Amino acid sequence: MALGIRELKQDIGPRIGRDDVPEVHQFMDRFFMSRIGIRMLIGQHVAMHIPNQPPSYVGLISTKASPVEISRNAVEDAQVVCRRAYGDTPDVHIYGDPKFTFAYVPTHLHHMIFELVKNSLRAVLVRYMKTSSDPPPIRVIVADGLEDVTIKISDEGGGIPRSGISKIWSYLYSTADTPSVSGNSRDMPSAMAGYGFGLPISRLHARYFGGDLQVMSMEGYGTDAYLHLTRLGNVQEPLP
């Protein structure tokens, strides 16, 4: 799908916003939301038949998912990718109650936090890599609310221009160079960013269970991403 979108970008030129080609983004949203639902159904069916499942799991759903622990694992994975791509990685500080748990799908949560932290790592490192200053740490804050569990990822990577905020949800837009399919397949920077699918698909994962993903940016300073997760139990799948 990413390669097809890249060829489409070459044909349509600079029209990369969601409002420029709405039919493309509507199709991609439906396609990936359906894919998330199908994978969830198949994975749940298979997981229910796995013997000796942990007592806190019901298929793919963990009734005692720890957002702090999942965030820690996602951060470590993102830092590995960043270190392979750029040779270094900023620090990440995680704030929250490690004993707090709620019902959620750990693989979904890991994917969303991984993508958001990966974006922040890249933004901070690119901004500070040519300076003598140490890159400031990225902050991951977990908040337990009555309705939602909210995770905030905050960085000082320079932010996004106000004119570009609407473009970050486009499948046709990326702040990084588009990876090449030719040459060495082990080119690690291509794994870091460039396809433009990370944020849109992460938002679909959040919305699949009634949550949402919002991004607030201050150009010249940094970006805050707010991941809202609805507690499971009373939300239907938003399938088309």
Side-chain angles (χ1 to χ4, degrees):
M1 295 298 293
L3 295 177
I5 288 294
R6 188 177 69 168
E7 294 182 3
L8 177 64
K9 288 169 60 176
Q10 296 173 352
D11 292 337
I12 65 176
R15 296 185 300 157
I16 57 177
R18 290 187 69 92
D19 297 332
D20 295 328
V21 279
E23 64 279 3
V24 172
H25 293 90
Q26 290 170 6
F27 166 78
M28 297 292 284
D29 285 343
R30 291 196 306 268
F31 174 83
F32 283 114
M33 185 65 83
S34 297
R35 183 178 184 272
I36 292 171
I38 291 171
R39 288 180 61 88
M40 181 67 193
L41 290 173
I42 294 176
Q44 182 74 2
H45 174 77
V46 173
M48 290 294 290
H49 291 80
I50 296 178
N52 302 321
Q53 262 203 335
S56 61
Y57 273 78
V58 181
L60 296 178
I61 301 172
S62 172
T63 59
K64 295 183 179 180
S66 170
V68 171
E69 182 64 27
I70 295 172
S71 297
R72 186 176 294 113
N73 294 333
V75 165
E76 291 176 356
D77 292 343
Q79 286 181 318
V80 168
V81 174
C82 182
R83 191 173 291 109
R84 288 177 177 174
Y86 297 103
D88 195 8
T89 180
D91 292 333
V92 180
H93 298 167
I94 302 176
Y95 304 92
D97 183 3
K99 297 181 180 180
F100 163 64
T101 61
F102 75 120
Y104 209 76
V105 182
T107 52
H108 285 196
L109 184 54
H110 181 282
H111 172 82
M112 292 183 284
I113 297 175
F114 172 81
E115 289 293 338
L116 294 172
V117 171
K118 182 162 62 72
N119 288 347
S120 292
L121 290 173
R122 175 181 172 272
V124 170
L125 199 59
V126 169
R127 186 186 187 193
Y128 286 89
M129 67 190 313
K130 294 183 180 180
T131 68
S132 58
S133 303
D134 293 333
I138 295 163
R139 297 176 298 278
V140 179
I141 304 169
V142 179
D144 173 22
L146 295 178
E147 294 184 2
D148 292 345
V149 175
T150 303
I151 300 176
K152 175 185 176 182
I153 294 93
S154 181
D155 67 61
E156 298 178 32
I160 305 168
R162 192 159 55 94
S163 60
I165 285 293
S166 62
K167 298 177 182 178
I168 64 175
W169 306 113
S170 170
Y171 295 96
L172 304 173
Y173 176 78
S174 175
T175 57
D177 295 333
T178 303
S180 173
V181 295
S182 59
N184 187 0
S185 61
R186 296 182 181 180
D187 183 18
M188 291 311 297
S190 65
M192 188 70 182
Y195 287 111
F197 279 36
L199 282 178
I201 293 183
S202 294
R203 186 167 68 168
L204 290 180
H205 273 90
R207 289 180 171 179
Y208 181 76
F209 283 125
D212 203 0
L213 173 61
Q214 298 175 328
V215 174
M216 303 292 291
S217 186
M218 182 185 297
E219 185 181 9
Y221 180 76
T223 302
D224 293 339
Y226 294 87
L227 180 60
H228 302 280
L229 308 172
T230 301
R231 297 176 181 272
L232 297 184
N234 59 352
V235 179
Q236 294 181 347
E237 298 170 311
L239 297 181

